[in-house]
Amino acid sequence: MTTETPVEPVDVVVIGTGPGGEDAAARLARAGLDVVAVEARLVGGECPYYGCIPTKMMVRAADALAEARRVATIAGRADVHPDWEPVARRIRDEATTGWDDTAAVERLESAGGRLVRGRGRLAGPGEVVVTTADGERRLQARRAVVLNPGTEPLVPPIDGLAGTPYWTNREAVEAAEAPASLTVLGGGAIGCELAQVFARFGTAVEVIEAGERLVAADEPEASDLVAARFAAEGIGVRTGTSARRVSYDDGSFVVHLDDGTQVTSERLLISTGRRTDLAALGVASVGLDEHARTITVDDRLRAADGVWAIGDATGHGAFTHVSMYQARIAVADILGDGDERADYRAVPHVTFTDPEVGAVGLTEAAARDAGLTVRTGVTDLAASSRGFVHGPGNEGLIKLVEDADRGVLVGATAAGPAAGEILAVLTLAVHAQVPTAQLRRMIYAYPTFHRAIESALADLDEG
Ligand SMILES: Cc1cc2nc3c(=O)[nH]c(=O)nc-3n(C[C@H](O)[C@H](O)[C@H](O)COP(=O)(O)OP(=O)(O)OC[C@H]3O[C@@H](n4cnc5c(N)ncnc54)[C@H](O)[C@@H]3O)c2cc1C
Ligand SMILES: NC(=O)c1ccc[n+]([C@@H]2O[C@H](COP(=O)([O-])OP(=O)(O)OC[C@H]3O[C@@H](n4cnc5c(N)ncnc54)[C@H](O)[C@@H]3O)[C@@H](O)[C@H]2O)c1
């Protein structure tokens, strides 16, 4: 950039168009502001092209295979022949239109926003420099800069890994076929969802998790359920160990583990967390800590004077629904329209393994760490009437975490068939602080999975 690069005044610059940024840009444009959205890759962000949507298409397909395999126990015979081609085709043609964001760009433009394709960085209050394919542009935001940079895969500095054709979620989503074998480094949400998907398509899968358990953000009981199902499906899991060195030769990875053992596979998936490069985003130019892992925001998503931040980078849960929730509040604040404040007491999430694991609010351990007087109630979903009827694939549980002093739920977990849907009522209870006494007086339809909430409430009384 030269000093002659003209400054383009606008009302709002949105850097990064993940689900929240895209939504914020469109809302602000529809409100009549001159909005420029700056996007380095694809408008819509990780979720539609490499995250939620394509991976849930994979999960849907893998679940269909698993259900078909259960036919033998309850309904006769089904010959199951997994084929990755329809999965790859749906992802390419239906989910991502060949990783093309034309429709999203048109949506933004029809709302009145403008797109500048390139990488943006803050260069001072209201000032954004964008590196585009044609050079640099300098934008000056009169009203607001909204940061929605999202995350990139965090690839650990393991000896020998760099330069090998390892997968992150992005390459896994683009896979043209299921590999013969796959090592998954990291047993969190991404690792577990994708491990089970590929295993159900016939891939020999080994998960390496440095921590003590899978899906460690969830209750230990949920981790146990996932681990038991993985074992039953032949998915190898090694916890408490990590990769010391990786080598790749002739289409084959060898992962050398801390414990002296090694794992060999055709593919290696790195799912060890996510990162945001705040230094590259230029946050120091507006007084923010560029070495921090996340951007600190207040309850109106304000990060600095004239700067708002939303999405994964704020550290309030790396989920699409959080990004969009924050977008709504930030937009209202920018427009001076209402006074809604962000409240993260009842953030739900669902990990789409089978059993599905849904959770809202605090885990038991987090509630105890917060100094609450905690009572818990747990019930086995398989032992419920609906679980009994369901038969194969009925493993699951409901766990409630009550603030006993106030008699309200502060957290809950539903794991098992349709757990993400059961979670809705538990999310409402935590969000609205419905007294547990009132939850006991509700009528729960028979024989549903959610009716097991009644048994979990009864267990709460006995605890
Ligand atoms: C495999 C996988 C599965 C997931 N499944 C789910 C799920 O089932 N449910 C769920 O709720 N969440 C899921 N998530 C998380 C979800 O994708 C994110 O929480 C969601 O995309 C919101 O992220 P965001 O709005 O912060 O931004 P992102 O979606 O990460 O998008 C940020 C955008 O900003 C752009 N950008 C970054 N820096 C710059 C810059 N300097 N200049 C210009 N552009 C920039 C990037 O190119 C990107 O397009 C999943 C994630 C992954 C990886
Ligand atoms: N269904 C969903 O909502 C969904 C699905 C996928 C991802 N996501 C979001 O994306 C985020 C990122 O997912 P993720 O799975 O990459 O991260 P994660 O933080 O959920 O899990 C990463 C795991 O990798 C382990 N790990 C880290 N370094 C390691 C190493 N060197 N060797 C072995 N294990 C190592 C960690 O202990 C952790 O368990 C999630 O936290 C979630 O917010 C959501």
Side-chain angles (χ1 to χ4, degrees), residues 16 18-19 39-40 45-46 52 56 118 120 148-151 169 311-312 318-320 323:
E39 173 54 56
E46 201 78 5
C52 329
K56 263 79 268 180
N148 178 228
T151 57
N169 61 295
D312 294 6
F319 306 106
T320 289
S323 184

Side-chain angles (χ1 to χ4, degrees), residues 56 186 188-190 193 208-210 242 271-274 318-319 350 352:
K56 263 79 268 180
I190 295 178
E193 287 183 354
I208 314 296
E209 165 54 48
S242 187
S271 48
T272 48
R274 316 281 301 176
F319 306 106
V350 180
F352 293 88

Side-chain angles (χ1 to χ4, degrees), residues 403-418:
D403 175 347
D405 293 337
R406 291 192 301 135
V408 294
L409 298 184
V410 291
T413 292

